[in-house]
Amino acid sequence: IKGAIVQVLDCRLTTSVHFSGGLKGRITVQCEHEEVTKEQQLQIQELANLKVKENVAVTTLALSRTEAEARFKQAPVNNTFIYDKFPVPEHVQDLNIVLIENWNVNCCPGPHLETTGTVDGYKIQKCKLNKSKKE
């Protein structure tokens, strides 16, 4: 879903991701917008669901920090870099990079699906902005 958020809102930094019960989740991104319109919310949902229907591979790459930073600094994916708002501590030198070609790239230690089509789809129930935090 982050790839869709980047395309629609140009909000590139994730602050947090939370899943509950396997069917619900929340993504918090750093965002300069004053509001997210219903049309933007629907556009994000539609783009994310198109990516699900495409059943694109979700690739996890084990790379050294140096290699990952060099590779994705030269060629960011959908205007995103491997780090989000809270970077990986400097002492961590081996990274797991999760890549959906031309859609999203992130450094993330957690397990991931093998393809985007593994999920049934996305239904965005609401978008909420915290203007003081710009999230």
Side-chain angles (χ1 to χ4, degrees), residues 19-113:
F19 296 100
S20 61
L23 296 176
K24 287 188 174 187
R26 177 180 67 230
I27 183 170
T28 305
V29 295
Q30 189 169 11
C31 188
E32 300 290 330
H33 293 271
E34 291 293 319
E35 69 173 319
V36 176
T37 67
K38 187 69 173 170
E39 291 79 21
Q40 288 170 318
Q41 180 178 320
L42 288 172
Q43 189 178 9
I44 291 167
Q45 181 174 294
E46 288 171 7
L47 286 171
N49 284 320
L50 281 173
K51 193 56 67 176
V52 168
K53 287 179 186 173
E54 290 175 18
N55 198 29
V56 178
V58 178
T59 306
T60 302
L61 307 167
L63 300 174
S64 73
R65 183 184 199 112
T66 304
E67 182 181 3
E69 288 176 355
R71 177 175 174 179
F72 292 104
K73 190 173 236 179
Q74 293 172 1
V77 177
N78 192 16
N79 291 318
T80 60
F81 188 53
I82 58 175
Y83 302 124
D84 285 313
K85 186 172 181 180
F86 303 106
V88 176
E90 286 296 322
H91 72 275
V92 176
Q93 294 299 306
D94 296 315
L95 305 176
N96 284 329
I97 305 298
V98 179
L99 174 64
I100 302 172
E101 288 289 341
N102 302 315
W103 187 250
N104 190 39
V105 64
N106 261 106
C107 178
C108 186
H112 291 81
L113 304 172

Coordinates of all heavy atoms in Angstrom, one line a residue, residues 19-113:
F19 N 0.0 -4.3 12.5 CA -1.1 -5.3 12.1 C -1.8 -5.8 13.3 O -1.1 -6.1 14.3 CB -0.4 -6.4 11.3 CG 0.2 -6.0 10.0 CD1 1.6 -5.8 9.9 CD2 -0.5 -5.8 8.9 CE1 2.2 -5.4 8.8 CE2 0.0 -5.4 7.7 CZ 1.4 -5.2 7.6
S20 N -3.1 -6.0 13.2 CA -3.8 -6.6 14.3 C -4.8 -7.7 13.8 O -5.5 -7.4 12.8 CB -4.5 -5.6 15.1 OG -5.5 -4.9 14.3
G21 N -4.7 -8.8 14.3 CA -5.7 -9.9 13.9 C -5.5 -10.4 12.5 O -6.4 -11.1 12.0
G22 N -4.4 -10.1 11.8 CA -4.2 -10.6 10.5 C -5.0 -9.9 9.4 O -4.7 -10.1 8.2
L23 N -6.1 -9.3 9.7 CA -7.0 -8.7 8.7 C -7.0 -7.2 8.7 O -7.5 -6.5 7.8 CB -8.4 -9.2 8.8 CG -8.6 -10.7 8.6 CD1 -10.0 -11.1 8.9 CD2 -8.2 -11.1 7.2
K24 N -6.5 -6.6 9.8 CA -6.5 -5.1 9.9 C -5.1 -4.6 10.1 O -4.2 -5.3 10.7 CB -7.3 -4.7 11.1 CG -8.8 -4.8 10.9 CD -9.5 -4.1 12.1 CE -11.0 -4.1 11.8 NZ -11.7 -3.4 12.9
G25 N -4.8 -3.4 9.6 CA -3.5 -2.9 9.7 C -3.6 -1.4 9.7 O -4.6 -0.8 9.3
R26 N -2.5 -0.8 10.0 CA -2.3 0.7 10.0 C -0.9 1.0 9.5 O 0.0 0.5 10.0 CB -2.6 1.3 11.3 CG -2.5 2.8 11.4 CD -2.7 3.4 12.8 NE -1.7 2.9 13.7 CZ -2.0 2.3 14.9 NH1 -3.2 2.1 15.3 NH2 -1.0 2.0 15.7
I27 N -0.8 2.0 8.6 CA 0.5 2.5 8.2 C 0.4 4.0 8.5 O -0.5 4.7 8.2 CB 0.7 2.2 6.7 CG1 2.2 2.8 6.3 CG2 -0.3 2.8 5.8 CD1 2.6 2.3 5.0
T28 N 1.5 4.5 9.1 CA 1.6 5.9 9.4 C 2.8 6.4 8.6 O 3.9 5.9 8.6 CB 1.9 6.1 10.9 OG1 0.9 5.5 11.7 CG2 2.0 7.6 11.3
V29 N 2.6 7.5 7.9 CA 3.6 8.1 7.0 C 3.8 9.5 7.4 O 2.8 10.2 7.9 CB 3.3 7.9 5.5 CG1 3.3 6.5 5.1 CG2 2.0 8.6 5.2
Q30 N 5.0 10.0 7.1 CA 5.2 11.5 7.3 C 4.6 12.2 6.1 O 4.8 11.8 5.0 CB 6.7 11.7 7.4 CG 7.0 13.1 7.8 CD 8.5 13.3 8.1 OE1 9.3 12.5 7.8 NE2 8.8 14.5 8.7
C31 N 3.7 13.2 6.4 CA 2.9 13.8 5.3 C 2.8 15.3 5.6 O 2.4 15.7 6.7 CB 1.6 13.1 5.3 SG 0.5 13.5 3.9
E32 N 3.0 16.0 4.5 CA 2.9 17.5 4.6 C 1.5 18.0 4.3 O 1.2 19.2 4.4 CB 3.9 18.1 3.7 CG 5.4 17.8 4.0 CD 5.9 18.4 5.3 OE1 5.4 19.5 5.7 OE2 6.7 17.8 5.9
H33 N 0.6 17.1 3.8 CA -0.7 17.6 3.4 C -1.6 18.0 4.6 O -1.4 17.5 5.7 CB -1.5 16.4 2.7 CG -0.8 16.0 1.4 ND1 -1.2 16.6 0.2 CD2 0.1 15.1 1.1 CE1 -0.5 16.0 -0.7 NE2 0.3 15.2 -0.2
E34 N -2.4 19.0 4.3 CA -3.4 19.5 5.3 C -4.5 18.5 5.5 O -5.1 18.4 6.5 CB -3.9 20.9 4.9 CG -2.8 22.0 5.0 CD -2.4 22.2 6.4 OE1 -3.2 22.3 7.3 OE2 -1.2 22.4 6.6
E35 N -4.9 17.8 4.4 CA -5.9 16.8 4.5 C -5.7 15.8 3.4 O -5.0 16.0 2.4 CB -7.3 17.5 4.3 CG -7.5 18.0 2.9 CD -8.9 18.5 2.6 OE1 -9.9 17.8 3.1 OE2 -9.1 19.5 2.0
V36 N -6.3 14.6 3.6 CA -6.4 13.6 2.5 C -7.9 13.5 2.1 O -8.7 13.2 2.9 CB -5.9 12.2 3.1 CG1 -6.1 11.2 2.0 CG2 -4.5 12.3 3.5
T37 N -8.1 13.8 0.9 CA -9.5 13.8 0.4 C -10.0 12.4 0.2 O -9.3 11.5 0.1 CB -9.6 14.6 -0.9 OG1 -8.9 13.8 -2.0 CG2 -9.0 16.0 -0.8
K38 N -11.3 12.3 0.1 CA -12.0 11.0 -0.1 C -11.5 10.5 -1.5 O -11.2 9.3 -1.6 CB -13.5 11.1 -0.1 CG -14.2 9.8 -0.2 CD -14.0 9.0 1.1 CE -14.9 7.8 1.1 NZ -14.5 6.9 2.1
E39 N -11.3 11.3 -2.5 CA -10.8 10.9 -3.8 C -9.4 10.4 -3.7 O -9.1 9.4 -4.3 CB -10.9 12.1 -4.8 CG -12.3 12.6 -5.1 CD -13.0 13.4 -4.1 OE1 -12.3 14.0 -3.2 OE2 -14.2 13.5 -4.0
Q40 N -8.6 11.0 -2.9 CA -7.2 10.5 -2.8 C -7.2 9.2 -2.1 O -6.5 8.3 -2.4 CB -6.3 11.5 -2.0 CG -6.0 12.8 -2.8 CD -5.4 13.9 -1.9 OE1 -5.8 14.1 -0.8 NE2 -4.4 14.5 -2.5
Q41 N -8.0 9.1 -1.0 CA -8.1 7.8 -0.3 C -8.6 6.7 -1.3 O -8.0 5.6 -1.3 CB -9.1 7.9 0.8 CG -9.3 6.7 1.6 CD -10.3 6.9 2.8 OE1 -10.3 7.9 3.4 NE2 -11.2 5.9 3.0
L42 N -9.6 6.9 -2.1 CA -10.0 5.9 -3.1 C -9.0 5.6 -4.1 O -8.8 4.5 -4.5 CB -11.3 6.4 -3.7 CG -12.5 6.4 -2.8 CD1 -13.7 7.0 -3.5 CD2 -12.9 5.0 -2.4
Q43 N -8.2 6.6 -4.5 CA -7.2 6.4 -5.5 C -6.1 5.5 -4.9 O -5.6 4.6 -5.6 CB -6.6 7.8 -6.0 CG -5.6 7.6 -7.1 CD -5.1 9.0 -7.6 OE1 -5.3 10.0 -7.0 NE2 -4.4 9.0 -8.7
I44 N -5.7 5.8 -3.7 CA -4.7 4.9 -3.0 C -5.2 3.5 -3.0 O -4.5 2.5 -3.3 CB -4.4 5.4 -1.6 CG1 -3.6 6.8 -1.7 CG2 -3.6 4.4 -0.8 CD1 -3.6 7.5 -0.3
Q45 N -6.4 3.3 -2.6 CA -7.0 2.0 -2.5 C -7.0 1.3 -3.8 O -6.7 0.1 -3.9 CB -8.4 2.1 -1.9 CG -9.1 0.7 -1.7 CD -10.5 0.9 -1.0 OE1 -10.5 1.3 0.1 NE2 -11.5 0.6 -1.7
E46 N -7.4 2.0 -4.9 CA -7.5 1.4 -6.2 C -6.1 1.0 -6.7 O -6.0 -0.1 -7.3 CB -8.2 2.4 -7.2 CG -9.7 2.6 -6.9 CD -10.3 3.7 -7.8 OE1 -9.6 4.3 -8.6 OE2 -11.5 4.0 -7.5
L47 N -5.1 1.9 -6.5 CA -3.8 1.6 -7.0 C -3.2 0.4 -6.2 O -2.6 -0.5 -6.8 CB -2.8 2.8 -6.8 CG -3.0 3.9 -7.8 CD1 -2.2 5.1 -7.3 CD2 -2.6 3.5 -9.2
A48 N -3.4 0.3 -4.9 CA -3.0 -0.8 -4.1 C -3.6 -2.1 -4.6 O -3.0 -3.2 -4.7 CB -3.2 -0.6 -2.6
N49 N -4.9 -2.1 -4.9 CA -5.6 -3.3 -5.3 C -5.2 -3.7 -6.7 O -5.2 -4.9 -7.0 CB -7.1 -3.1 -5.2 CG -7.6 -3.2 -3.7 OD1 -7.1 -4.0 -3.0 ND2 -8.5 -2.3 -3.3
L50 N -4.9 -2.7 -7.6 CA -4.3 -3.1 -8.9 C -3.0 -3.9 -8.7 O -2.8 -4.8 -9.4 CB -4.1 -1.9 -9.7 CG -5.3 -1.3 -10.4 CD1 -5.0 0.1 -11.1 CD2 -5.9 -2.2 -11.4
K51 N -2.2 -3.4 -7.8 CA -0.9 -4.1 -7.6 C -1.2 -5.5 -7.0 O -0.5 -6.5 -7.4 CB -0.1 -3.3 -6.6 CG 1.4 -3.8 -6.5 CD 2.1 -3.8 -7.8 CE 2.4 -2.5 -8.5 NZ 3.2 -2.5 -9.7
V52 N -2.2 -5.7 -6.2 CA -2.6 -7.0 -5.7 C -3.0 -7.9 -6.9 O -2.5 -9.1 -7.0 CB -3.7 -6.9 -4.7 CG1 -4.3 -8.3 -4.4 CG2 -3.2 -6.3 -3.4
K53 N -3.8 -7.4 -7.8 CA -4.3 -8.2 -8.9 C -3.1 -8.5 -9.9 O -3.2 -9.6 -10.5 CB -5.3 -7.4 -9.7 CG -6.7 -7.3 -9.0 CD -7.7 -6.5 -9.8 CE -9.0 -6.4 -8.9 NZ -9.9 -5.5 -9.6
E54 N -2.1 -7.7 -10.0 CA -1.0 -8.0 -10.8 C -0.2 -9.2 -10.3 O 0.6 -9.8 -11.0 CB 0.0 -6.8 -10.9 CG -0.6 -5.6 -11.7 CD 0.3 -4.4 -11.7 OE1 1.5 -4.5 -11.3 OE2 -0.2 -3.3 -12.0
N55 N -0.3 -9.5 -9.0 CA 0.4 -10.6 -8.4 C 1.9 -10.6 -8.6 O 2.5 -11.5 -9.0 CB -0.2 -12.0 -8.9 CG 0.2 -13.1 -8.0 OD1 0.3 -13.0 -6.8 ND2 0.3 -14.3 -8.6
V56 N 2.5 -9.4 -8.3 CA 3.9 -9.1 -8.5 C 4.7 -9.8 -7.4 O 4.3 -9.9 -6.2 CB 4.1 -7.6 -8.5 CG1 5.6 -7.3 -8.6 CG2 3.3 -6.9 -9.6
A57 N 5.9 -10.2 -7.7 CA 6.8 -10.8 -6.8 C 7.2 -9.8 -5.7 O 7.5 -8.6 -6.0 CB 8.0 -11.4 -7.5
V58 N 7.3 -10.3 -4.5 CA 7.9 -9.5 -3.3 C 9.2 -10.2 -3.0 O 9.2 -11.3 -2.5 CB 6.9 -9.5 -2.1 CG1 7.6 -8.8 -1.0 CG2 5.6 -9.0 -2.5
T59 N 10.3 -9.5 -3.3 CA 11.6 -10.1 -3.2 C 12.3 -9.6 -2.0 O 12.3 -8.4 -1.7 CB 12.5 -9.7 -4.5 OG1 11.7 -10.1 -5.6 CG2 13.8 -10.4 -4.4
T60 N 12.8 -10.5 -1.2 CA 13.6 -10.1 0.0 C 15.1 -10.4 -0.4 O 15.5 -11.5 -0.7 CB 13.2 -10.9 1.2 OG1 11.9 -10.7 1.5 CG2 14.0 -10.5 2.4
L61 N 15.9 -9.4 -0.3 CA 17.3 -9.4 -0.6 C 18.1 -9.3 0.7 O 17.9 -8.4 1.5 CB 17.7 -8.3 -1.5 CG 16.9 -8.2 -2.8 CD1 17.2 -6.8 -3.5 CD2 17.2 -9.3 -3.7
A62 N 19.1 -10.2 0.9 CA 20.0 -10.1 2.0 C 21.3 -9.4 1.5 O 22.0 -9.9 0.7 CB 20.3 -11.4 2.6
L63 N 21.5 -8.1 1.9 CA 22.6 -7.3 1.4 C 23.4 -6.7 2.5 O 22.8 -6.4 3.6 CB 22.1 -6.2 0.5 CG 21.3 -6.6 -0.7 CD1 20.7 -5.4 -1.4 CD2 22.1 -7.4 -1.7
S64 N 24.6 -6.4 2.3 CA 25.4 -5.6 3.3 C 24.8 -4.2 3.2 O 24.2 -3.8 2.2 CB 26.9 -5.6 2.9 OG 27.1 -4.8 1.8
R65 N 25.0 -3.5 4.3 CA 24.5 -2.1 4.4 C 25.1 -1.3 3.2 O 24.4 -0.5 2.6 CB 24.8 -1.5 5.7 CG 24.3 -0.1 5.9 CD 24.8 0.4 7.3 NE 23.9 1.5 7.6 CZ 23.0 1.5 8.6 NH1 22.9 0.5 9.4 NH2 22.3 2.6 8.8
T66 N 26.4 -1.4 3.0 CA 27.1 -0.7 2.0 C 26.5 -0.9 0.6 O 26.3 0.0 -0.2 CB 28.6 -1.0 2.0 OG1 29.1 -0.7 3.4 CG2 29.4 -0.2 1.0
E67 N 26.3 -2.2 0.3 CA 25.8 -2.6 -1.0 C 24.4 -2.1 -1.2 O 24.0 -1.6 -2.2 CB 25.8 -4.1 -1.1 CG 25.4 -4.6 -2.5 CD 25.4 -6.1 -2.6 OE1 25.7 -6.8 -1.6 OE2 25.0 -6.6 -3.7
A68 N 23.5 -2.3 -0.2 CA 22.1 -1.8 -0.2 C 22.0 -0.3 -0.4 O 21.3 0.2 -1.3 CB 21.4 -2.2 1.0
E69 N 22.8 0.4 0.3 CA 22.8 1.9 0.2 C 23.2 2.3 -1.1 O 22.6 3.2 -1.8 CB 23.6 2.5 1.4 CG 22.9 2.4 2.7 CD 23.7 2.9 3.9 OE1 24.9 3.4 3.7 OE2 23.2 3.0 5.0
A70 N 24.3 1.7 -1.6 CA 24.8 2.1 -3.0 C 23.8 1.8 -4.1 O 23.5 2.6 -4.9 CB 26.2 1.4 -3.2
R71 N 23.3 0.6 -4.0 CA 22.3 0.1 -5.0 C 21.1 1.0 -5.1 O 20.7 1.4 -6.2 CB 22.0 -1.3 -4.8 CG 21.0 -1.8 -5.8 CD 20.7 -3.3 -5.6 NE 19.6 -3.8 -6.4 CZ 19.2 -5.0 -6.4 NH1 19.8 -6.0 -5.7 NH2 18.3 -5.4 -7.2
F72 N 20.5 1.3 -4.0 CA 19.2 2.0 -4.0 C 19.3 3.5 -3.9 O 18.3 4.2 -4.2 CB 18.3 1.4 -2.9 CG 17.9 0.0 -3.3 CD1 18.4 -1.1 -2.6 CD2 16.9 -0.3 -4.3 CE1 18.1 -2.4 -2.9 CE2 16.6 -1.5 -4.6 CZ 17.2 -2.6 -4.0
K73 N 20.5 4.0 -3.6 CA 20.7 5.5 -3.7 C 20.8 5.8 -5.2 O 20.3 6.9 -5.6 CB 22.0 5.9 -3.0 CG 22.1 7.4 -2.8 CD 23.3 7.7 -1.9 CE 22.7 8.6 -0.8 NZ 23.8 9.0 0.1
Q74 N 21.5 5.0 -6.0 CA 21.6 5.2 -7.4 C 20.3 5.0 -8.1 O 20.1 5.7 -9.2 CB 22.7 4.3 -8.0 CG 24.1 4.6 -7.5 CD 25.1 3.6 -7.9 OE1 24.7 2.6 -8.6 NE2 26.3 3.7 -7.5
A75 N 19.5 4.1 -7.7 CA 18.2 3.8 -8.4 C 17.1 3.6 -7.4 O 16.7 2.5 -7.1 CB 18.4 2.5 -9.2
P76 N 16.6 4.7 -6.8 CA 15.4 4.6 -5.9 C 14.2 4.0 -6.6 O 14.1 4.1 -7.8 CB 15.2 6.0 -5.4 CG 15.9 6.9 -6.4 CD 16.9 6.1 -7.1
V77 N 13.4 3.3 -5.8 CA 12.2 2.7 -6.3 C 11.0 3.6 -6.0 O 10.7 3.8 -4.9 CB 12.0 1.3 -5.7 CG1 10.7 0.6 -6.2 CG2 13.2 0.4 -6.0
N78 N 10.3 4.1 -7.1 CA 9.1 4.9 -6.9 C 9.4 6.1 -6.0 O 8.6 6.4 -5.1 CB 7.9 4.0 -6.3 CG 6.6 4.7 -6.4 OD1 6.4 5.7 -7.1 ND2 5.7 4.2 -5.6
N79 N 10.6 6.7 -6.1 CA 11.0 7.8 -5.4 C 11.2 7.5 -3.9 O 11.1 8.4 -3.0 CB 10.1 9.0 -5.5 CG 10.2 9.6 -6.9 OD1 11.3 9.7 -7.5 ND2 9.1 9.9 -7.5
T80 N 11.4 6.3 -3.5 CA 11.7 5.9 -2.1 C 13.1 5.3 -2.0 O 13.6 4.8 -2.9 CB 10.6 4.9 -1.6 OG1 10.7 3.7 -2.4 CG2 9.2 5.5 -1.6
F81 N 13.6 5.4 -0.7 CA 14.9 4.9 -0.4 C 14.6 3.7 0.6 O 13.5 3.5 1.0 CB 15.7 6.0 0.2 CG 17.2 5.6 0.4 CD1 17.9 5.0 -0.7 CD2 17.8 5.7 1.6 CE1 19.2 4.6 -0.5 CE2 19.1 5.4 1.8 CZ 19.8 4.8 0.7
I82 N 15.6 3.0 1.0 CA 15.4 1.8 1.8 C 15.1 2.2 3.2 O 14.6 1.3 3.9 CB 16.7 0.9 1.7 CG1 18.0 1.6 2.2 CG2 16.8 0.3 0.4 CD1 19.2 0.8 2.3
Y83 N 15.4 3.4 3.7 CA 15.1 3.7 5.1 C 13.9 4.6 5.2 O 13.6 5.4 4.3 CB 16.3 4.5 5.7 CG 17.6 3.7 5.7 CD1 18.7 4.2 5.1 CD2 17.7 2.4 6.2 CE1 19.9 3.5 5.1 CE2 18.9 1.7 6.2 CZ 20.0 2.3 5.6 OH 21.1 1.6 5.6
D84 N 13.3 4.5 6.3 CA 12.1 5.4 6.6 C 12.5 6.4 7.6 O 13.7 6.7 7.8 CB 10.9 4.5 7.1 CG 10.3 3.8 5.9 OD1 10.1 4.4 4.9 OD2 10.1 2.5 6.0
K85 N 11.5 6.9 8.3 CA 11.8 8.0 9.3 C 12.8 7.7 10.3 O 13.6 8.5 10.7 CB 10.5 8.5 9.9 CG 10.6 9.7 10.8 CD 9.3 10.2 11.3 CE 9.6 11.5 12.1 NZ 8.3 12.0 12.6
F86 N 12.7 6.4 10.8 CA 13.7 6.0 11.8 C 14.7 5.0 11.2 O 14.3 3.9 11.0 CB 12.9 5.4 13.0 CG 11.9 6.3 13.6 CD1 10.5 6.1 13.4 CD2 12.3 7.4 14.3 CE1 9.6 7.0 13.9 CE2 11.3 8.3 14.9 CZ 10.0 8.0 14.6
P87 N 15.9 5.5 10.9 CA 16.8 4.6 10.2 C 17.3 3.5 11.1 O 17.2 3.5 12.3 CB 18.0 5.6 9.9 CG 17.8 6.7 10.8 CD 16.4 6.8 11.2
V88 N 17.9 2.5 10.4 CA 18.5 1.3 11.1 C 19.7 1.8 11.8 O 20.5 2.6 11.3 CB 18.9 0.3 10.0 CG1 19.6 -0.9 10.6 CG2 17.6 -0.2 9.3
P89 N 20.0 1.4 13.0 CA 21.2 1.8 13.8 C 22.4 1.5 13.0 O 22.5 0.5 12.3 CB 21.1 0.9 15.1 CG 19.7 0.5 15.2 CD 19.1 0.4 13.8
E90 N 23.4 2.3 13.1 CA 24.7 2.2 12.4 C 25.4 0.9 12.6 O 26.1 0.4 11.7 CB 25.6 3.4 12.8 CG 25.2 4.7 12.2 CD 25.2 4.8 10.7 OE1 26.1 4.2 10.1 OE2 24.3 5.4 10.1
H91 N 25.3 0.3 13.8 CA 26.0 -0.9 14.0 C 25.4 -2.1 13.2 O 26.1 -3.1 13.1 CB 26.0 -1.3 15.5 CG 24.7 -1.7 16.1 ND1 23.8 -0.8 16.5 CD2 24.2 -2.9 16.3 CE1 22.7 -1.5 17.0 NE2 22.9 -2.8 16.8
V92 N 24.2 -2.0 12.7 CA 23.6 -3.1 11.9 C 24.2 -3.0 10.5 O 24.0 -2.0 9.8 CB 22.1 -3.0 11.9 CG1 21.5 -4.1 11.0 CG2 21.5 -3.1 13.3
Q93 N 24.9 -4.0 10.1 CA 25.6 -4.0 8.8 C 25.0 -4.9 7.8 O 25.4 -4.9 6.6 CB 27.1 -4.2 9.0 CG 27.8 -3.1 9.8 CD 27.7 -1.8 9.0 OE1 28.1 -1.7 7.9 NE2 27.2 -0.8 9.7
D94 N 24.1 -5.9 8.2 CA 23.5 -6.8 7.3 C 22.0 -6.5 7.3 O 21.4 -6.5 8.3 CB 23.7 -8.2 7.7 CG 25.2 -8.6 7.6 OD1 25.8 -8.3 6.6 OD2 25.7 -9.2 8.6
L95 N 21.5 -6.2 6.1 CA 20.1 -5.8 6.0 C 19.2 -6.7 5.1 O 19.7 -7.3 4.2 CB 20.0 -4.4 5.3 CG 20.9 -3.3 5.9 CD1 20.8 -2.0 5.1 CD2 20.4 -3.0 7.4
N96 N 18.0 -6.8 5.5 CA 17.0 -7.4 4.6 C 16.2 -6.3 3.9 O 15.6 -5.5 4.5 CB 16.0 -8.2 5.4 CG 16.5 -9.5 5.9 OD1 17.4 -10.1 5.3 ND2 16.1 -10.0 7.1
I97 N 16.3 -6.3 2.6 CA 15.7 -5.3 1.7 C 14.5 -6.0 1.1 O 14.6 -7.0 0.4 CB 16.6 -4.8 0.7 CG1 17.9 -4.2 1.3 CG2 15.9 -3.8 -0.2 CD1 17.7 -3.1 2.3
V98 N 13.3 -5.4 1.3 CA 12.1 -6.0 0.7 C 11.8 -5.1 -0.6 O 11.6 -3.9 -0.4 CB 10.9 -6.0 1.7 CG1 9.7 -6.5 1.0 CG2 11.3 -6.8 2.9
L99 N 11.7 -5.7 -1.7 CA 11.5 -5.0 -3.0 C 10.3 -5.5 -3.8 O 10.1 -6.7 -4.0 CB 12.8 -5.2 -3.8 CG 12.8 -4.7 -5.2 CD1 12.7 -3.1 -5.2 CD2 14.1 -5.1 -6.0
I100 N 9.5 -4.6 -4.2 CA 8.5 -4.8 -5.2 C 8.8 -3.9 -6.3 O 8.8 -2.7 -6.2 CB 7.0 -4.4 -4.6 CG1 6.7 -5.3 -3.4 CG2 6.0 -4.7 -5.7 CD1 5.4 -4.9 -2.7
E101 N 9.3 -4.5 -7.4 CA 9.9 -3.7 -8.5 C 9.0 -2.6 -8.9 O 7.8 -2.7 -9.1 CB 10.1 -4.6 -9.7 CG 11.3 -5.6 -9.5 CD 12.7 -4.9 -9.6 OE1 12.8 -3.8 -10.0 OE2 13.6 -5.6 -9.1
N102 N 9.6 -1.4 -9.1 CA 8.9 -0.2 -9.6 C 7.7 0.2 -8.7 O 6.9 1.0 -9.1 CB 8.4 -0.4 -11.0 CG 9.5 -0.7 -12.0 OD1 10.5 -0.1 -11.9 ND2 9.3 -1.7 -12.8
W103 N 7.7 -0.2 -7.4 CA 6.6 0.1 -6.5 C 7.1 0.5 -5.1 O 6.7 1.5 -4.6 CB 5.7 -1.1 -6.4 CG 4.4 -0.9 -5.7 CD1 4.1 -1.4 -4.5 CD2 3.3 -0.2 -6.1 NE1 2.8 -1.0 -4.1 CE2 2.3 -0.2 -5.1 CE3 3.0 0.6 -7.3 CZ2 1.1 0.4 -5.2 CZ3 1.8 1.2 -7.3 CH2 0.9 1.1 -6.3
N104 N 7.9 -0.3 -4.5 CA 8.3 0.0 -3.1 C 9.6 -0.8 -2.8 O 9.8 -1.9 -3.2 CB 7.2 -0.3 -2.1 CG 7.5 0.2 -0.8 OD1 8.0 1.3 -0.6 ND2 7.2 -0.6 0.2
V105 N 10.4 -0.1 -2.0 CA 11.6 -0.8 -1.4 C 11.7 -0.3 0.0 O 11.5 0.8 0.3 CB 12.9 -0.4 -2.2 CG1 13.2 1.0 -2.2 CG2 14.1 -1.3 -1.8
N106 N 12.1 -1.3 0.9 CA 12.2 -0.9 2.3 C 13.2 -1.9 3.0 O 13.2 -3.1 2.6 CB 10.9 -1.1 3.1 CG 10.2 0.3 3.3 OD1 9.2 0.6 2.6 ND2 10.8 1.1 4.2
C107 N 13.9 -1.4 4.0 CA 14.7 -2.2 4.8 C 13.7 -2.7 5.9 O 13.1 -1.9 6.6 CB 15.8 -1.4 5.4 SG 16.8 -2.3 6.6
C108 N 13.6 -4.0 6.0 CA 12.6 -4.6 7.0 C 13.0 -6.0 7.4 O 13.2 -6.8 6.6 CB 11.2 -4.6 6.4 SG 9.9 -5.0 7.6
P109 N 13.1 -6.2 8.7 CA 13.5 -7.6 9.2 C 12.4 -8.6 9.2 O 12.6 -9.8 9.3 CB 14.0 -7.3 10.6 CG 13.1 -6.1 11.1 CD 12.9 -5.3 9.8
G110 N 11.1 -8.2 9.1 CA 10.0 -9.1 9.3 C 9.8 -10.0 8.1 O 10.3 -9.8 7.0
P111 N 9.0 -11.0 8.3 CA 8.6 -11.9 7.2 C 7.6 -11.2 6.2 O 6.9 -10.3 6.6 CB 7.9 -13.1 7.8 CG 7.4 -12.5 9.1 CD 8.3 -11.5 9.5
H112 N 7.7 -11.6 5.0 CA 6.8 -10.9 3.9 C 6.2 -12.0 3.0 O 6.8 -13.1 2.9 CB 7.6 -9.9 3.1 CG 8.0 -8.7 3.9 ND1 9.1 -8.7 4.8 CD2 7.4 -7.5 4.1 CE1 9.2 -7.5 5.4 NE2 8.2 -6.8 5.0
L113 N 5.2 -11.6 2.4 CA 4.5 -12.5 1.4 C 5.4 -12.7 0.2 O 6.3 -11.8 -0.1 CB 3.2 -11.9 1.0 CG 2.2 -11.5 2.1 CD1 1.0 -10.8 1.6 CD2 1.8 -12.8 2.8

